[in-house]
Amino acid sequence: MSAAGDSAGPAPGPLVVAETLGLLRAWDAGETPPPPRARTLDLVGFAAAQGVAWPACKALARALPAPVAGLLLDPAIRSRETTAARFAAQVRDLAGLLAAAGLEAVALKGAAAIAEAGGEPAPWREMVDLDLLVAPADLPRAVDALRGAGYTGDAEAYVATDYHFPALFPPRGGIATVELHTRTGWSRGGPLKDLRARALPTRLPGLRIPTAEDRLVHLVHHAQIADRRRQRRSLRLRDALDWRLLTRDGAPPAPGG
């Protein structure tokens, strides 16, 4: 199975793939990697295409002279930290909206990383949208709570057989669309059927997170089955990093790691 299958542009060489993996291992262990043999810009480009630019750049910065790291890596690091802070702020806001409405949702995927950290940014986990799982009976109230706060979307596109409400677009200041799920996928059964009942509390009233085991099952289903990467015999390093952190100790590292 190849990590290059989802990268943009020409496939990276084996040296770039191997050294990017080494950077992720070094970041995870808090170690300084050896000076890279591949071009720095090739490593950063591949890491960005794979959704792991922040941890890769943080590790690579330890291996390069400070002036070089500042010139080549600091912009990528800072931009992702700024984005991560905006995602975290939106998750905290969503938790508050749900709690004020007397509701509770389960944060999924990237949103779970933020909720698990008590609403702190998780720059190591790149994301595009925010996925929240609510009880089917609570969906209308959850939609109303978000609409009341300025979220917009096409309610007419939703039918009862869908497993999530159409994407809700945030008001000014938000960074991500929100998908309110009633199931984790099209299947009504399977190992994730009772995910909500097993969910764990967080420091954010209004949000819970799945158990580590349920997060792993959801990761495999979403990344390898729903996205058809298993059929293409490819994986994305962002998903591999999720797996590593969930299986290591069940808790992602602090944002400044």
Side-chain angles (χ1 to χ4, degrees):
M1 185 172 284
S2 170
D6 290 343
S7 61
L15 178 62
V16 170
V17 175
E19 293 206 332
T20 303
L21 289 171
L23 291 173
L24 295 178
R25 294 189 190 100
W27 170 78
D28 180 38
E31 298 174 350
T32 298
R37 292 175 292 156
R39 292 176 65 246
T40 298
L41 292 180
D42 289 342
L43 293 171
V44 174
F46 178 60
Q50 292 288 318
V52 293
W54 187 83
C57 287
K58 291 286 283 187
L60 187 55
R62 300 182 188 129
L64 297 177
V68 177
L71 178 65
L72 297 180
L73 304 177
D74 280 0
I77 291 172
R78 287 198 303 269
S79 68
R80 282 163 176 81
E81 288 176 348
T82 298
T83 297
R86 293 183 64 194
F87 270 101
Q90 189 172 347
V91 168
R92 294 193 299 269
D93 182 64
L94 288 165
L97 291 174
L98 293 169
L103 300 171
E104 191 172 63
V106 180
L108 303 173
K109 298 187 289 187
I114 296 172
E116 182 175 42
E120 292 298 314
W124 59 270
R125 182 35 164 96
E126 292 193 13
M127 56 195 83
V128 176
D129 58 5
L130 295 170
D131 298 275
L132 304 177
L133 179 69
V134 299
D138 290 341
L139 178 63
R141 292 169 58 206
V143 171
D144 288 346
L146 269 61
R147 285 190 177 282
Y151 281 79
T152 58
D154 184 8
E156 294 183 0
Y158 179 73
V159 296
T161 54
D162 289 343
Y163 66 90
H164 69 74
F165 195 80
L168 290 166
F169 293 85
R172 182 182 298 275
I175 189 173
T177 56
V178 175
E179 288 186 354
L180 293 173
H181 290 243
T182 55
R183 300 192 304 280
T184 56
W186 289 109
S187 174
R188 295 180 180 272
L192 295 175
K193 180 179 66 171
D194 297 320
L195 180 151
R196 261 192 324 107
R198 293 188 293 266
L200 307 171
T202 71
R203 300 197 304 273
L204 293 178
L207 286 183
R208 298 171 73 86
I209 58 171
T211 64
E213 292 82 0
D214 281 341
R215 288 168 74 179
L216 283 172
V217 173
H218 192 212
L219 169 64
V220 172
H221 182 271
H222 183 267
Q224 289 297 311
I225 299 174
D227 286 354
R228 301 170 68 89
R229 291 194 183 101
R230 181 174 177 271
Q231 292 183 5
R232 301 197 302 269
R233 296 189 61 78
S234 70
L235 60 82
R236 196 175 186 213
L237 291 186
R238 188 193 73 170
D239 302 323
L241 184 60
D242 278 359
W243 178 274
R244 164 63 180 165
L245 297 178
L246 285 168
T247 55
R248 182 188 64 187
D249 54 14

